[in-house]
Each structure stands twice: as C-alpha cells, then as structure tokens.
Amino acid sequence: MHQPQQVVTDRTQIHQFIQAGHVLQLALNDGVYPYVVPVNYGYVFDEAGQLHFYVHGAPVGKKRTLIAADPHVAFSIVADRAFEHTANSCTYWFKSVLGTGTATLLTDHQEKAQALQLLLRHEAGDQAHLDLTHKDLSHLGAIRIDVDQLTAKQHQPAE
C-alpha cells in the first residue's frame, strides 16, 4: 500500500466502516472491461468471523448473468468522506473497505428473506422489519457475497 500509515487492521474499526457506508460498488467480470454497479447492502459476520454481504435487485438482468458466468467479484465501500481545502492545500478525508469474494445467486426463499432483512437492518436500524410473502420473494433477486480478501484504510484529520 502506498501509504501504510493509512492501513486499518482492527476488526472493530473495519466493522464500523462497513456500518457507516451505504453503497457498495460491485465489480463483475464482463469480458475485456469490468462492469461496476452501485448497490445497497446488508452484511453479517458469521460464527467463524467470515464476512458476507447481501445485495438485492431484479430476478433477471446483467448483474445476475455476469455472476452466473463468473462468480468472482471485487467491491469497495467508502464512508465518512469529505473534501477540505484552504488557499495552500486540499485533501479528501475518507474511510474505505476494499475486497474480493465469491458471489452466489440465492434461490432459497428463506435465504432471500434473510438477505433483505439484513439489508433493511443496515439501512433502517434494528427495529426495521418486512413481512414478505412467498410471491414477493419469488420476484426478488438476491445475491450473497462470501468475502475472501479484505483491506481497509482511512485518511482522517488529526483529533
């Protein structure tokens, strides 16, 4: 990493960065050029400490077609960003998480419901809840990303 002083390895801090973010830039393999799409996300650290992201969308489309062809993905999340400038300098403050993983297209209604609940909890808080019917879940495209590699960094003003 170009600026090792910005590296964050503390799991609690990384979790805070993920919680503070709201848009995950998802990069998929699409031949010569990557396809990048912004998505909202939910997440969970399982009992073994592995991170899983959940995203949703239509039950058909480019994102799902690309994942079916090649499930290897990359992602980035940027949180707490701000631009600051004076007459003599400028800087951009941020917290970020980058990584790679393997995406799975979810078909099980129970796992789709869990994915949507995690996404809703991340965006709206612990008290948020949806009552989804079997029909609702049939028309939902949900994806789980099992994270293989993760890095984080921050550039923040001195306190």
Side-chain angles (χ1 to χ4, degrees):
M1 187 172 282
H2 177 66
Q3 299 208 15
Q5 74 276 14
Q6 294 180 349
V7 173
V8 175
T9 57
D10 179 74
R11 264 182 92 72
T12 301
Q13 275 189 288
I14 293 170
H15 186 149
Q16 290 169 349
F17 292 6
I18 293 167
Q19 180 62 33
H22 293 281
V23 177
L24 180 145
Q25 299 291 337
L26 181 62
L28 308 167
N29 293 316
D30 187 17
V32 176
Y33 297 102
Y35 176 74
V36 180
V37 60
V39 293
N40 295 107
Y41 61 92
Y43 67 94
V44 66
F45 287 91
D46 67 19
E47 301 81 30
Q50 183 177 7
L51 175 59
H52 306 275
F53 286 109
Y54 292 89
V55 302
H56 80 294
V60 297
K62 185 168 185 170
K63 184 171 38 183
R64 295 182 66 80
T65 300
L66 293 176
I67 289 170
D70 183 350
H72 300 99
V73 302
F75 60 87
S76 70
I77 299 167
V78 178
D80 294 339
R81 63 207 180 286
F83 180 73
E84 181 179 293
H85 73 285
T86 65
N88 299 334
S89 70
C90 62
T91 192
Y92 196 79
W93 307 114
F94 66 90
K95 297 175 181 176
S96 67
V97 177
L98 307 170
T100 59
T102 305
T104 301
L105 301 173
L106 303 179
T107 57
D108 178 75
H109 283 89
Q110 186 173 350
E111 197 167 14
K112 284 182 180 185
Q114 177 191 9
L116 213 53
Q117 289 300 144
L118 287 168
L119 192 151
L120 183 63
R121 181 172 60 191
H122 177 231
E123 291 299 325
D126 288 335
Q127 302 304 313
H129 180 75
L130 288 175
D131 291 320
L132 300 170
T133 67
H134 186 77
K135 183 179 178 184
D136 295 332
L137 294 169
S138 296
H139 297 290
L140 171 72
I143 300 162
R144 183 185 72 239
I145 301 166
D146 303 322
V147 176
D148 301 323
Q149 181 269 333
L150 188 72
T151 61
K153 68 188 260 193
Q154 68 177 336
H155 181 56
Q156 295 289 295
E159 292 184 27

